[in-house]
Amino acid sequence: MRYVIIGAGAVGGTIGVRLGEAGRDVTLVARGAHLDALRERGLTLRTPDGTVTGRLPAVAGPDDRPLPADTVLVLTVKSQDTAAALATWVDTPVEGGGTAGERLPIVLAQNGVANEPAALRLFARVHPVCVWLPATHLEPGVVVANGHPHPGMLHLGRYPSGADDTSRAVAADLTAAGFVAPVRDDVMRWKYGKLLGNLGNGVQALLGREAPEALAARVRAEGEAALAAAGIAHTTPEEEAAERSDRVRHRPVDGEERAGGSTWQSLARGAGSAEADHLNGEIVLLGRLHGVPTPANAAVQAAVRRAVRERIPAGGFPLAELEKMVG
């Protein structure tokens, strides 16, 4: 199979370089200065075991040529960029007839749970991935991946449930590339568990590593209450820790620990958007649908939007202001 990695940042860059190192056919999709760097000098992947540079084809999007019929699209953009990415690729012609949306599998290696239904509106073959992959992308052309001894654990399945031969084939390629890649019939249960863990991303992005544990616990408690009211199953921290065990540990790279999670990185880069509306906002949505108060998640969601709008640096949001917003 040929892989097109749509969004060659922290997660997509790590997956793309590792697949390329394992001999798979990989094309990276990026934009701006990052795309320029990929074309000029390749993608540098820094890991606890050393540095490799993947000199892979890099493009801004589909061109006039039909995609080969054995192409797998791997969507790794942030959730706020999903709609635009899906619209860009869905009508791309495929060799032998038809379009990408009609014929090709799309693998969603993204945080949040809103991407799957959005993709299924346009693509017939949707494959969710629960991503446990500690990596950072702050500099054009460079990704730092802290996972060790495996770079990450990627649970795969089919949406809305089950798994198929494509799930298993992609998992086999990811395993060959060094990842732990279990195939799950209930992959969305794992993704909802990951969502609960990701609710603290916005808190960390706003306040830094000194964020009060009580606030992180509160956003998670609201999330658990909202999922319970909606009747949505999810994994527990204990189940996740047992599954991950010592297979994906955070290790320093060149003596440095990972700086921050995905939302922190968006603020640190001044990316102009962040994913809180699809993480904390998912809990706010479920709370409003099922009558569960979610003031802490709503406050984090609004505060992250304000930080993006006012270019407040990562970790620089006033704690007192956020506490006032939470109420």
Side-chain angles (χ1 to χ4, degrees):
M1 294 185 293
R2 307 164 193 258
Y3 292 91
V4 176
I5 312 292
I6 304 170
V11 171
T14 303
I15 293 173
V17 170
R18 290 291 189 180
L19 283 171
E21 289 288 299
R24 272 52 178 184
D25 185 310
V26 177
T27 298
L28 303 178
V29 180
R31 59 189 177 186
H34 188 45
L35 175 60
D36 293 339
L38 297 183
R39 286 172 165 170
E40 291 170 9
R41 55 184 183 271
L43 196 158
T44 297
L45 182 66
R46 297 168 54 206
T47 77
D49 293 324
T51 298
V52 297
T53 298
R55 298 192 176 276
L56 304 167
V59 301
D63 55 27
D64 294 334
R65 293 171 295 180
L67 293 169
D70 59 354
T71 299
V72 176
L73 302 177
V74 183
L75 193 61
T76 53
V77 300
K78 296 288 199 312
S79 295
Q80 66 270 20
D81 297 320
T82 290
L86 293 173
T88 296
W89 288 88
V90 62
D91 292 322
T92 304
V94 176
E95 290 178 354
T99 65
E102 293 166 340
R103 294 187 55 197
L104 299 185
I106 185 164
V107 175
L108 308 183
Q110 302 168 279
N111 287 334
V113 294
N115 303 296
E116 285 74 18
L120 199 61
R121 290 178 182 273
L122 300 176
F123 284 79
R125 302 169 63 190
V126 175
H127 296 263
V129 181
C130 177
V131 178
W132 293 341
L133 197 165
T136 304
H137 168 55
L138 297 176
E139 176 186 349
V142 179
V143 169
V144 180
N146 294 88
H148 190 273
H150 300 277
M153 178 174 282
L154 305 170
H155 305 250
L156 291 95
R158 183 79 184 255
Y159 187 75
S161 63
D164 60 14
D165 289 343
T166 298
S167 308
R168 289 180 280 274
V170 173
D173 281 348
L174 290 170
T175 300
F179 296 94
V180 183
V183 176
R184 305 281 187 191
D185 288 338
D186 63 344
V187 67
M188 291 306 296
R189 186 174 72 90
W190 290 83
K191 292 204 71 167
Y192 274 102
K194 179 75 183 323
L195 171 66
L196 291 173
N198 286 147
L199 297 179
N201 287 18
V203 177
Q204 180 204 51
L206 294 167
L207 303 176
R209 294 189 177 183
E210 303 306 316
E213 291 184 10
L215 180 55
R218 183 171 176 184
V219 295
R220 183 180 178 99
E222 289 181 0
E224 290 176 346
L227 292 185
I232 296 173
H234 60 84
T235 51
T236 65
E238 295 76 18
E239 184 179 7
E240 294 159 11
E243 178 68 21
R244 202 160 41 237
S245 186
D246 60 354
R247 292 187 285 181
V248 183
R249 299 191 300 268
H250 288 234
R251 284 283 183 85
V253 174
D254 296 333
E256 297 181 5
E257 299 287 348
R258 189 184 186 208
S262 55
T263 308
W264 184 94
Q265 292 173 46
S266 292
L267 295 188
R269 288 202 315 272
S273 66
E275 60 190 339
D277 286 343
H278 294 85
L279 301 178
N280 305 90
E282 185 72 26
I283 299 306
V284 172
L285 171 62
L286 290 173
R288 289 170 179 166
L289 288 172
H290 299 281
V292 176
T294 58
N297 280 278
V300 170
Q301 182 185 2
V304 170
R305 288 201 306 270
R306 177 179 157 189
V308 170
R309 186 171 61 250
E310 298 180 8
R311 296 191 173 276
I312 298 172
F317 199 92
L319 173 58
E321 183 67 20
L322 182 58
E323 291 175 335
K324 181 180 177 181
M325 293 172 67
V326 172

